[in-house]
Amino acid sequence: MIIRRPADIPASEITPPEVYAARRRLMAGAGALALGAGGLSGAAAQSRVKLESVRPWPGSTKEAQNTFEQITSYSNFYEFGLDKGDPLRNSKAFRTRPWTVAVEGEVRRPRSFTIEELLKLAPIEERVYRLRCVEAWSMVIPWAGYPLAELIRQVEPTGNAKFVEFHTLLDPRQMPGQRDPVIQWPYVEGLRLDEAMHPLTLLTLGLYGELLPNANGAPVRLVVPWKYGFKSGKSIVRIRFVERMPTTAWVRSAPHEYGFYANVNPAVDHPRWSQARERRIGELRKRETLPFNGYGDQVASLYAGMDLRKFY
Ligand SMILES: Nc1nc2c(c(=O)[nH]1)N[C@H]1C(S)=C(S)[C@@H](COP(=O)(O)O)O[C@H]1N2
Ligand SMILES: [Mo]
């Protein structure tokens, strides 16, 4: 039996079947995405805005950081297309002002936050985190934000709040990828309440000391560094506290391939490829993937007693 490395796996195997089918339809449509995007291809680059005060965070990884260029041009953001360069190409005219995030469900003080309020809610830190994508690539990224727990405390979850849902903007006029039913839109992700409250879970507003680029989930996204990248929803408009485990977009789309927990785990293979190793973007060699993406000393206790082969 031949064991193939991820680099040898064709796109047809590494991509969920419905995504692969959609990609073929888009290619057959000869640029239908770019044309359908309302002239986005001619839009000027997004202006870059420096954040006012960003403090360094002592827990940052000292590993070499990926460049701004790599982080913005190699990204998954299916609302803007399926290829890694599509989010940068197709999101230039994306409007992120005005923007509000509704926080609702099982909370005593439901309310909306404007993006301006979110930028002032707590001191913004630069946190350099590793990102491990389920597709077996990784990056090191200097995000800017503060723990999601700061926001959660303000809305006071009730005793019934066990899980938190994160909903991305639904706007097919601005997000051309949403015109193709690759997944059921909008993108919905979720965390258990204790995961959402964990101090590593970052409400993210910036990258490299600037406001978030559109391609990386402007104006506000989540970053959950011990989980596969897809758990970190972008361009969030609604945060909902619920009693039951939410059916997230990827679990709905391919339940045999993507679990709710999605903790980075080199010992549990994806049904179509190994998760034991990863390629850091910008490198050729493979690195060993670490349990919980190297954050195990801080998060493993959240899963004490759970069978992580079953709850993947
Ligand atoms: N709304 C939305 N959020 C999303 C995605 C997406 O397609 N749509 N892709 C996810 C995946 S698979 C990854 S790996 C990360 C990548 O984020 P980054 O490119 O900003 O690092 O975003 C996640 N969040
Ligand atoms: Mo990913």
Side-chain angles (χ1 to χ4, degrees):
M1 163 156 150
I2 298 165
I3 299 178
R4 289 183 298 177
R5 294 164 308 152
D8 302 323
I9 299 174
S12 58
E13 290 183 28
I14 208 159
T15 309
E18 58 286 335
V19 173
Y20 186 61
R23 186 171 284 155
R24 275 206 319 264
R25 285 201 297 282
L26 290 173
M27 284 169 170
L33 185 69
L35 290 173
L40 297 189
S41 47
Q46 186 195 353
S47 55
R48 293 173 60 169
V49 180
K50 216 168 172 307
L51 283 163
E52 269 166 36
S53 52
V54 181
R55 345 166 143 174
W57 177 65
S60 287
T61 173
K62 304 285 184 294
E63 288 170 87
Q65 296 171 23
N66 282 93
T67 64
F68 182 86
E69 222 265 310
Q70 287 170 328
I71 297 164
T72 51
S73 66
Y74 194 93
S75 174
N76 280 334
F77 196 175
Y78 281 4
E79 285 83 344
F80 292 105
L82 304 177
D83 289 321
K84 299 289 181 268
D86 282 345
L88 182 62
R89 268 194 293 278
N90 297 329
S91 71
K92 294 194 168 98
F94 181 48
R95 291 185 304 276
T96 57
R97 297 291 186 283
W99 192 278
T100 55
V101 178
V103 187
E104 56 185 42
E106 290 290 346
V107 290
R108 279 184 206 93
R109 303 166 68 91
R111 60 164 286 195
S112 283
F113 295 85
T114 65
I115 195 66
E116 291 77 16
E117 288 171 327
L118 289 178
L119 280 161
K120 284 185 297 203
L121 189 113
I124 294 186
E125 298 167 333
E126 175 165 282
R127 294 191 172 206
V128 188
Y129 280 168
R130 286 179 293 275
L131 166 107
R132 171 56 159 81
C133 179
V134 75
E135 296 164 305
W137 50 269
S138 64
M139 291 209 215
V140 174
I141 305 180
W143 297 115
Y146 48 78
L148 176 67
E150 299 274 3
L151 179 144
I152 294 179
R153 273 195 280 277
Q154 301 225 346
V155 296
E156 298 174 20
T158 70
N160 292 331
K162 301 285 190 301
F163 293 91
V164 192
E165 294 176 2
F166 304 90
H167 297 244
T168 295
L169 179 69
L170 179 64
D171 186 355
R173 290 196 331 188
Q174 289 208 80
M175 296 176 139
Q178 288 182 337
R179 294 175 214 157
D180 207 300
V182 259
I183 56 169
Q184 189 177 308
W185 304 109
Y187 196 99
V188 177
E189 258 309 331
L191 295 172
R192 222 167 53 188
L193 183 63
D194 59 343
E195 298 177 322
M197 291 290 294
H198 191 280
L200 282 175
T201 300
L202 197 70
L203 192 77
T204 305
L205 298 149
L207 167 70
Y208 265 111
E210 301 176 1
L211 288 176
L212 268 183
N214 290 346
N216 297 85
V220 56
R221 64 171 295 170
L222 217 62
V223 177
V224 191
W226 71 94
K227 293 177 179 279
Y228 291 119
F230 68 89
K231 295 300 290 183
S232 297
K234 294 172 167 166
S235 302
I236 291 170
V237 291
R238 183 183 309 280
I239 299 177
R240 190 172 176 79
F241 292 77
V242 296
E243 188 161 8
R244 288 175 198 282
M245 182 184 283
T247 305
T248 58
W250 282 111
V251 172
R252 186 188 299 274
S253 150
H256 46 292
E257 304 202 349
Y258 306 109
F260 175 82
Y261 285 95
N263 292 319
V264 173
N265 191 344
V268 175
D269 288 345
H270 183 281
R272 291 180 286 130
W273 62 84
S274 163
Q275 294 291 22
R277 301 200 298 162
E278 64 197 55
R279 188 174 74 86
R280 183 71 46 88
I281 297 305
E283 296 179 353
L284 293 174
R285 70 183 171 112
K286 295 282 160 52
R287 292 169 178 260
E288 304 292 315
T289 286
L290 300 172
F292 299 107
N293 201 22
Y295 298 95
D297 53 339
Q298 294 166 78
V299 300
S301 61
L302 295 176
Y303 311 101
M306 276 174 69
D307 178 354
L308 295 178
R309 293 187 164 271
K310 190 159 160 239
F311 299 101
Y312 56 84

